[in-house]
Amino acid sequence: MSQTEIIGIAPVDVPAIFNAATYFVDRNLAEGRGAKTAIYCEDQEISYAQVAEQVNRAGNALKELGLQMEQRVLLLLLDTPEFPAAFFGAMKIGAVPIPTNTLMKPADYRYFLNDSRAAIAIVSEALLPTIEAIQTECPYLREVVVVSQDETHKSKGHKLFHELTSQASPDLEAVATSRDDAAFWLYSSGTTGFPKGAVHLHRDMVYCTEYYAKGILKMTEADRCFSVAKLFFAYGLGNGLYFPFGVGGATVLLPGRPEPRKIFELIAARQPTLLFGVPTAYAAMLTLPGEFDTSSLRAGVSAGEALPKAVWETFKNRFGVEILDGIGSTEVLHIFISNRTGKVKPGSTGQLVPGYEAKIVDEAGQEVGPNEEGHLLIKGESTCAFYWNKRDKTRETLLGEWIRTGDKYHQDEDGYYWYHGRADDMIKAGGIWVSPVEVEGALTDHPAILECGVVGRMDADELVKPCAFIVLKEGYVAGPELEAELKQFVKDKIAVYKYPRWIEFVETLPRTATGKLQRFKLRQF
């Protein structure tokens, strides 16, 4: 008997011919929710009927630009209504959208465009300079479409999203894709090396919606979601888009930065029932003094990194809101282990989500016993098919039906999972993977640095951030001014969230006899 049958949730059956855009958009019209608000964004309230029309117009506009089935389209978009229009519009014509991190540098986008061979990029106006900086270095990129009303962009050869969609037909029949066709990609940097394009299929979002959104969160069309994590994240994509659309609920989108005060303002104004955050965001909310209206929230959800017990307890005591911590991944698409309402063990990641299986194994691949630490492997239908153009990484990570998460865990007698850190050197800062090698590479470009090593260190809220140990060249003096200069230097070179929060100046770095950096010793400082 399967776990889903034991728990009382029927296994999900996705038809062989299946287009996810029909399921998440058109189905809401067929079930009578056309007039219901689907999206709240700043002063806009957009109904499901309007969403469906925008999706159809976007899909037709992409067809007019020559985008064909299975071709990729890069989405470099803020959290605005254009995101779901482009995402599901591309999917509806059988093309493959690639939501992309908006916090990266031009060189990163050059890699994404060339690796994916995306023919079209749809870009929010504020992010356009990062694409223009590398556009001539991307031979597969045919068109740049800008989300803007500014006509001057056309003089540079760009197209305007609003102009294209307003001229396109509002009627569009979905391409008869199969459940196993590629629906979208998400780039993951969960291990060292270049980012990997995780190829997700049309079926994948349905499993996450049925097993987690409905099964664990008990979501219905009465729910209104607000996600601190942006739509380009695998986590945010579910929270802020296909979960609410999958149950006929509503989403609250925030194009700008989710500063703590803004989060509270949106909760008071838009009355979401579910708040999806990361530990860093919850900790930041707790730093604001005063009283805030959180009465609309029936639960908070956390993922991205382990939620400290102290943050959970303080948030619950202050706001009366229980946070359900869990773990997911880009490769598995969303959360596969989670706490449940009324059954939280603070500090734990929770219990297995129905529809998934887990095992914890030792270095030899043998399963360990209760309370024994080992490597976490997961099996579930939402797991990506493969990494694009990365055969060796696919074989290393996807072990038949199982996927190696790279996380170390133990399971207690009650079936709760407890996190013990990463099996590799990656750092998760604010819920986003950071490669220490990349930060080290940025630092060593500074003329003052002889060598350096970067590891994760916990801050006062028990959240992990990058910490750099630096050996200076002769003639340079350690001090606050140089420390500030080095932090800014890294911010200017790579994504801002990757900069080291602490800098320790040391005489030497610990190394093996063969010269390899011993990061485990740096973690002991």
Side-chain angles (χ1 to χ4, degrees):
M1 182 176 289
S2 71
Q3 186 197 24
T4 52
E5 291 171 325
I6 293 170
I7 297 177
I9 297 175
V12 176
D13 182 25
V14 178
I17 302 302
F18 181 79
N19 188 298
T22 301
Y23 181 89
F24 288 98
V25 179
D26 298 339
R27 183 172 56 88
N28 283 298
L29 274 62
E31 294 179 358
R33 287 186 285 271
K36 186 177 185 295
T37 298
I39 299 172
Y40 296 89
C41 183
E42 297 181 316
D43 60 350
Q44 300 179 77
E45 295 187 14
I46 301 172
S47 70
Y48 272 108
Q50 291 172 313
V51 169
E53 179 179 331
Q54 291 172 0
V55 166
N56 289 349
R57 288 182 182 276
N60 282 321
L62 289 170
K63 285 173 66 177
E64 287 294 320
L65 291 177
L67 193 69
Q68 299 178 8
M69 189 170 182
E70 299 183 3
Q71 286 189 321
R72 274 75 68 188
V73 51
L74 190 87
L75 307 185
L76 186 57
L77 295 169
L78 302 175
D79 284 15
T80 62
E82 289 80 11
F83 190 112
F87 182 74
F88 285 119
M91 209 176 293
K92 196 166 185 178
I93 66 171
V96 182
I98 306 175
T100 309
N101 190 331
T102 61
L103 305 175
M104 309 300 277
K105 298 294 184 181
D108 299 305
Y109 300 124
R110 179 179 60 218
Y111 172 79
F112 296 141
L113 285 163
N114 289 340
D115 182 67
S116 67
R117 302 173 194 149
I120 296 172
I122 304 177
V123 187
S124 291
E125 184 176 34
L127 304 169
L128 182 59
T130 59
I131 294 296
E132 289 180 327
I134 47 84
Q135 187 176 350
T136 59
E137 303 169 49
C138 302
Y140 306 104
L141 181 62
R142 297 198 311 262
E143 300 282 1
V144 174
V145 179
V146 188
V147 176
S148 171
Q149 303 285 352
D150 188 350
E151 294 278 332
T152 62
H153 293 303
K154 294 163 68 174
S155 66
K156 300 178 183 178
H158 305 325
K159 301 289 196 301
L160 298 183
F161 184 84
H162 296 287
E163 186 172 274
L164 294 175
T165 54
S166 65
Q167 296 170 355
S169 170
D171 300 314
L172 177 63
E173 185 175 345
V175 168
T177 49
S178 81
R179 62 191 175 197
D180 292 331
D181 268 314
F184 62 99
W185 297 6
L186 293 170
Y187 271 94
S188 168
S189 53
T191 57
T192 55
F194 288 110
K196 305 172 298 298
V199 178
H200 280 286
L201 311 178
H202 277 267
R203 62 166 69 190
D204 294 357
M205 292 184 288
V206 179
Y207 290 105
C208 297
T209 302
E210 294 294 323
Y211 289 137
Y212 178 72
K214 293 182 181 180
I216 299 300
L217 299 183
K218 309 300 181 186
M219 284 182 63
T220 70
E221 63 181 88
D223 277 307
R224 190 177 296 184
C225 302
F226 173 50
S227 177
V228 172
K230 296 297 186 179
L231 294 176
F232 64 77
F233 290 114
Y235 177 49
L237 187 66
N239 308 339
L241 186 53
Y242 66 83
F243 282 174
F245 281 24
V247 300
T251 183
V252 179
L253 298 182
L254 173 64
R257 288 175 57 83
E259 303 288 353
R261 193 167 298 280
K262 185 64 178 178
I263 294 173
F264 282 120
E265 289 173 358
L266 274 178
I267 293 172
R270 292 302 190 185
Q271 299 286 290
T273 57
L274 291 166
L275 173 64
F276 296 85
V278 295
T280 301
Y282 286 114
M285 291 171 71
L286 290 171
T287 64
L288 290 185
E291 296 185 4
F292 299 95
D293 179 12
T294 59
S295 59
S296 67
L297 296 176
R298 65 178 182 86
V301 176
S302 183
E305 57 187 320
L307 181 71
K309 181 180 179 181
V311 174
W312 188 93
E313 291 174 339
T314 306
F315 203 91
K316 178 71 164 61
N317 291 336
R318 183 174 171 187
F319 299 114
V321 176
E322 193 173 45
I323 301 174
L324 309 180
D325 192 22
I327 180 176
S329 72
T330 301
E331 289 81 359
V332 187
L333 191 55
H334 212 275
I335 291 173
F336 46 78
I337 294 175
S338 176
N339 280 279
R340 275 83 159 155
T341 301
K343 298 180 180 179
V344 174
K345 276 193 179 183
S348 82
T349 308
Q351 298 168 290
L352 199 62
V353 171
Y356 295 90
E357 296 179 41
K359 59 183 177 180
I360 300 173
V361 301
D362 60 21
E363 297 295 337
Q366 299 300 309
E367 287 194 59
V368 302
N371 295 308
E372 290 185 47
E373 181 183 328
H375 300 275
L376 178 66
L377 274 60
I378 292 291
K379 182 168 77 171
E381 293 293 339
S382 64
T383 302
C384 67
F386 57 91
Y387 293 130
W388 170 257
N389 234 2
K390 298 283 188 295
R391 179 175 181 269
D392 290 344
K393 283 295 182 184
T394 299
R395 295 177 68 183
E396 178 185 314
T397 306
L398 299 174
L399 312 174
E401 293 182 298
W402 295 89
I403 181 168
R404 190 190 306 274
T405 66
D407 297 296
K408 302 194 79 173
Y409 267 88
H410 85 263
Q411 186 181 23
D412 67 18
E413 302 86 348
D414 300 321
Y416 283 76
Y417 289 79
W418 298 81
Y419 180 64
H420 289 274
R422 288 289 295 173
D424 56 27
D425 290 322
M426 293 295 288
I427 303 165
K428 217 160 196 187
I432 310 176
W433 287 117
V434 176
S435 167
V437 175
E438 184 182 10
V439 182
E440 289 163 2
L443 280 166
T444 52
D445 283 341
H446 192 282
I449 295 182
L450 179 64
E451 58 179 352
C452 67
V454 173
V455 295
R457 172 186 284 183
M458 280 191 178
D459 63 15
D461 292 314
E462 298 181 25
L463 300 172
V464 178
K465 301 291 186 295
C467 173
F469 292 84
I470 289 172
V471 179
L472 293 175
K473 292 179 182 176
E474 191 174 345
Y476 288 91
V477 180
E481 288 186 11
L482 182 56
E483 182 178 340
E485 180 183 329
L486 292 172
K487 289 179 179 180
Q488 188 60 49
F489 184 77
V490 175
K491 290 180 182 180
D492 292 340
K493 290 184 68 67
I494 58 178
V496 172
Y497 63 85
K498 300 179 181 181
Y499 86 95
R501 306 314 195 267
W502 305 273
I503 288 181
E504 304 282 354
F505 295 103
V506 295
E507 299 269 335
T508 59
L509 295 177
R511 295 190 180 277
T512 65
T514 58
K516 186 176 180 180
L517 180 65
Q518 295 176 305
R519 295 186 197 279
F520 74 95
K521 289 188 176 180
L522 290 180
R523 295 189 190 100
Q524 297 169 2
F525 282 119

